[in-house]
Every structure is written in C-alpha cells, then in structure tokens.
Amino acid sequence: MNILGQWKKLLPRVIISTMVALAFVYYSETHQVDDLHGVAGVIAGVSGTLLGFLITSMALITAIMDRTLIANMRRTGHYQRLIADTFTTCAVLLGTVVFCITSLFFSNPIHVWVFAASLFFLALSVLYVIEAGRRFSNIISTLS
C-alpha cells in the first residue's frame, strides 16, 4: 500500500479519535481524579492484553509460512500489508498503555489532558484492532 493509501485509512480514524478525546475534555469537569486513575488502569490492562494477543497471532501466522495461503499472500503483497498494519496496531496499543500509565502520575488539571490523549489512542487502537481482527479471522477461517 502506498503512502496516500495509508493516509486515506489513517485520517478518518484520527478524526474520530480526536472527536472522542475532545468530547471527554468538554465533559470532564464531572470526573474525579481517582475514578480516572481506575479507568486508566483498566484501559492499560486491556490494551496490554490485546497487544500480547496481536504479537502471538503474528507469531502464529509466521509459523505457518509453508502453507499455500501464506505463500500466495506473500506473492500478492497481502502478507507484507498484514504485517505492516499489525505493527501499526501494536504501536498504537503500546501508545495507549504508555499514556494510560503516564496518566496515573498526574492530578488535575494536567490529568484531564493526559487522559484525553489516552482516550485518543484507545479509540484509534480500537479502530485498528477491529480491522486486524477481521483480517486474522479471514486467514484462520481460510486455513481450517
């Protein structure tokens, strides 16, 4: 996929994620710092778990390189795209974990902005995880 194709995929996701983060900032005066710390811990745990599952699924796909489907995917370029998109998803999930853990160290008013950045990465990672899950399910269902 060329650079323009990657930006065409990324831009709508960034806009949606920005809207989620700004909506949180707009309505953030009702949230307590302790509540947000608890939510940030849960988001970090879930994002870390999803990151582990993605790394494991990449290892599984790499382990079955001798299959005809994977060989055909390598010839057509779909395998490289799958790996590149999965690495992007892993990077965004890692960003979510980092910002959530970072938000645990701040209090108001900076905490709201750091948590908004966490929500931005969370929304972005959810959108990427949905696509990665769809791709991996297509591959696994085709293999079985």
Side-chain angles (χ1 to χ4, degrees), residues 41-55 93-94 96-97:
V42 170
I43 292 172
V46 170
S47 297
T49 303
L50 283 173
L51 179 62
F53 279 126
L54 271 176
I55 292 170
L93 281 169
L94 186 61
T96 305
V97 171

mmCIF file of all heavy atoms in Angstrom, residues 41-55 93-94 96-97:
data_model
loop_
_atom_site.group_PDB
_atom_site.id
_atom_site.type_symbol
_atom_site.label_atom_id
_atom_site.label_comp_id
_atom_site.label_asym_id
_atom_site.label_seq_id
_atom_site.Cartn_x
_atom_site.Cartn_y
_atom_site.Cartn_z
ATOM 1 N N GLY A 41 -6.124 2.490 34.627
ATOM 2 C CA GLY A 41 -5.535 1.187 34.933
ATOM 3 C C GLY A 41 -6.202 0.060 34.175
ATOM 4 O O GLY A 41 -5.531 -0.850 33.662
ATOM 5 N N VAL A 42 -7.522 0.120 34.080
ATOM 6 C CA VAL A 42 -8.255 -0.918 33.339
ATOM 7 C C VAL A 42 -7.930 -0.849 31.854
ATOM 8 O O VAL A 42 -7.689 -1.881 31.209
ATOM 9 C CB VAL A 42 -9.781 -0.776 33.581
ATOM 10 C CG1 VAL A 42 -10.566 -1.669 32.644
ATOM 11 C CG2 VAL A 42 -10.116 -1.084 35.025
ATOM 12 N N ILE A 43 -7.903 0.366 31.301
ATOM 13 C CA ILE A 43 -7.589 0.519 29.875
ATOM 14 C C ILE A 43 -6.176 0.023 29.586
ATOM 15 O O ILE A 43 -5.939 -0.651 28.575
ATOM 16 C CB ILE A 43 -7.765 1.987 29.437
ATOM 17 C CG1 ILE A 43 -9.236 2.386 29.477
ATOM 18 C CG2 ILE A 43 -7.211 2.204 28.036
ATOM 19 C CD1 ILE A 43 -9.477 3.863 29.238
ATOM 20 N N ALA A 44 -5.226 0.323 30.470
ATOM 21 C CA ALA A 44 -3.851 -0.147 30.274
ATOM 22 C C ALA A 44 -3.789 -1.670 30.295
ATOM 23 O O ALA A 44 -3.087 -2.276 29.474
ATOM 24 C CB ALA A 44 -2.936 0.438 31.341
ATOM 25 N N GLY A 45 -4.526 -2.289 31.199
ATOM 26 C CA GLY A 45 -4.535 -3.753 31.258
ATOM 27 C C GLY A 45 -5.132 -4.388 30.022
ATOM 28 O O GLY A 45 -4.585 -5.358 29.470
ATOM 29 N N VAL A 46 -6.257 -3.852 29.571
ATOM 30 C CA VAL A 46 -6.912 -4.399 28.374
ATOM 31 C C VAL A 46 -6.043 -4.177 27.142
ATOM 32 O O VAL A 46 -5.890 -5.079 26.307
ATOM 33 C CB VAL A 46 -8.314 -3.772 28.197
ATOM 34 C CG1 VAL A 46 -8.914 -4.121 26.852
ATOM 35 C CG2 VAL A 46 -9.241 -4.221 29.316
ATOM 36 N N SER A 47 -5.460 -2.997 27.026
ATOM 37 C CA SER A 47 -4.602 -2.710 25.867
ATOM 38 C C SER A 47 -3.355 -3.585 25.866
ATOM 39 O O SER A 47 -2.936 -4.070 24.816
ATOM 40 C CB SER A 47 -4.190 -1.238 25.860
ATOM 41 O OG SER A 47 -5.314 -0.422 25.722
ATOM 42 N N GLY A 48 -2.778 -3.816 27.037
ATOM 43 C CA GLY A 48 -1.624 -4.708 27.130
ATOM 44 C C GLY A 48 -1.972 -6.137 26.745
ATOM 45 O O GLY A 48 -1.194 -6.819 26.077
ATOM 46 N N THR A 49 -3.154 -6.578 27.159
ATOM 47 C CA THR A 49 -3.601 -7.925 26.791
ATOM 48 C C THR A 49 -3.815 -8.042 25.294
ATOM 49 O O THR A 49 -3.396 -9.028 24.667
ATOM 50 C CB THR A 49 -4.902 -8.267 27.545
ATOM 51 O OG1 THR A 49 -4.665 -8.139 28.947
ATOM 52 C CG2 THR A 49 -5.365 -9.668 27.235
ATOM 53 N N LEU A 50 -4.463 -7.046 24.695
ATOM 54 C CA LEU A 50 -4.661 -7.063 23.243
ATOM 55 C C LEU A 50 -3.330 -7.016 22.498
ATOM 56 O O LEU A 50 -3.172 -7.671 21.472
ATOM 57 C CB LEU A 50 -5.538 -5.891 22.813
ATOM 58 C CG LEU A 50 -7.022 -6.020 23.075
ATOM 59 C CD1 LEU A 50 -7.730 -4.714 22.758
ATOM 60 C CD2 LEU A 50 -7.605 -7.155 22.272
ATOM 61 N N LEU A 51 -2.393 -6.257 23.027
ATOM 62 C CA LEU A 51 -1.065 -6.197 22.427
ATOM 63 C C LEU A 51 -0.410 -7.579 22.450
ATOM 64 O O LEU A 51 0.180 -8.019 21.454
ATOM 65 C CB LEU A 51 -0.206 -5.170 23.162
ATOM 66 C CG LEU A 51 1.225 -4.965 22.695
ATOM 67 C CD1 LEU A 51 1.247 -4.469 21.258
ATOM 68 C CD2 LEU A 51 1.932 -3.986 23.607
ATOM 69 N N GLY A 52 -0.530 -8.277 23.561
ATOM 70 C CA GLY A 52 0.018 -9.632 23.653
ATOM 71 C C GLY A 52 -0.642 -10.593 22.679
ATOM 72 O O GLY A 52 0.026 -11.422 22.050
ATOM 73 N N PHE A 53 -1.963 -10.488 22.534
ATOM 74 C CA PHE A 53 -2.666 -11.349 21.578
ATOM 75 C C PHE A 53 -2.235 -11.058 20.147
ATOM 76 O O PHE A 53 -2.083 -11.993 19.344
ATOM 77 C CB PHE A 53 -4.183 -11.186 21.698
ATOM 78 C CG PHE A 53 -4.786 -11.972 22.821
ATOM 79 C CD1 PHE A 53 -5.571 -11.340 23.766
ATOM 80 C CD2 PHE A 53 -4.578 -13.335 22.944
ATOM 81 C CE1 PHE A 53 -6.134 -12.051 24.809
ATOM 82 C CE2 PHE A 53 -5.132 -14.055 23.979
ATOM 83 C CZ PHE A 53 -5.912 -13.412 24.912
ATOM 84 N N LEU A 54 -2.041 -9.802 19.814
ATOM 85 C CA LEU A 54 -1.607 -9.470 18.455
ATOM 86 C C LEU A 54 -0.202 -9.994 18.167
ATOM 87 O O LEU A 54 0.062 -10.507 17.078
ATOM 88 C CB LEU A 54 -1.643 -7.960 18.242
ATOM 89 C CG LEU A 54 -2.953 -7.398 17.742
ATOM 90 C CD1 LEU A 54 -2.883 -5.891 17.661
ATOM 91 C CD2 LEU A 54 -3.310 -7.970 16.397
ATOM 92 N N ILE A 55 0.675 -9.868 19.125
ATOM 93 C CA ILE A 55 2.030 -10.388 18.936
ATOM 94 C C ILE A 55 2.000 -11.905 18.779
ATOM 95 O O ILE A 55 2.686 -12.472 17.926
ATOM 96 C CB ILE A 55 2.934 -9.948 20.102
ATOM 97 C CG1 ILE A 55 3.157 -8.432 20.036
ATOM 98 C CG2 ILE A 55 4.267 -10.683 20.083
ATOM 99 C CD1 ILE A 55 3.830 -7.852 21.239
ATOM 100 N N LEU A 93 -1.467 0.449 20.238
ATOM 101 C CA LEU A 93 -1.799 -0.167 21.532
ATOM 102 C C LEU A 93 -0.725 0.136 22.569
ATOM 103 O O LEU A 93 -1.042 0.406 23.736
ATOM 104 C CB LEU A 93 -1.972 -1.681 21.379
ATOM 105 C CG LEU A 93 -3.302 -2.139 20.805
ATOM 106 C CD1 LEU A 93 -3.248 -3.614 20.450
ATOM 107 C CD2 LEU A 93 -4.429 -1.880 21.785
ATOM 108 N N LEU A 94 0.523 0.113 22.167
ATOM 109 C CA LEU A 94 1.600 0.459 23.079
ATOM 110 C C LEU A 94 1.502 1.923 23.518
ATOM 111 O O LEU A 94 1.723 2.249 24.685
ATOM 112 C CB LEU A 94 2.959 0.180 22.438
ATOM 113 C CG LEU A 94 4.181 0.348 23.322
ATOM 114 C CD1 LEU A 94 4.113 -0.603 24.513
ATOM 115 C CD2 LEU A 94 5.440 0.112 22.522
ATOM 116 N N THR A 96 -1.263 3.557 23.791
ATOM 117 C CA THR A 96 -2.368 3.582 24.747
ATOM 118 C C THR A 96 -1.891 3.183 26.130
ATOM 119 O O THR A 96 -2.219 3.838 27.124
ATOM 120 C CB THR A 96 -3.500 2.633 24.286
ATOM 121 O OG1 THR A 96 -3.902 2.983 22.963
ATOM 122 C CG2 THR A 96 -4.687 2.698 25.209
ATOM 123 N N VAL A 97 -1.124 2.115 26.203
ATOM 124 C CA VAL A 97 -0.606 1.657 27.500
ATOM 125 C C VAL A 97 0.282 2.725 28.124
ATOM 126 O O VAL A 97 0.158 3.033 29.318
ATOM 127 C CB VAL A 97 0.156 0.318 27.340
ATOM 128 C CG1 VAL A 97 0.884 -0.055 28.605
ATOM 129 C CG2 VAL A 97 -0.795 -0.793 26.929
#
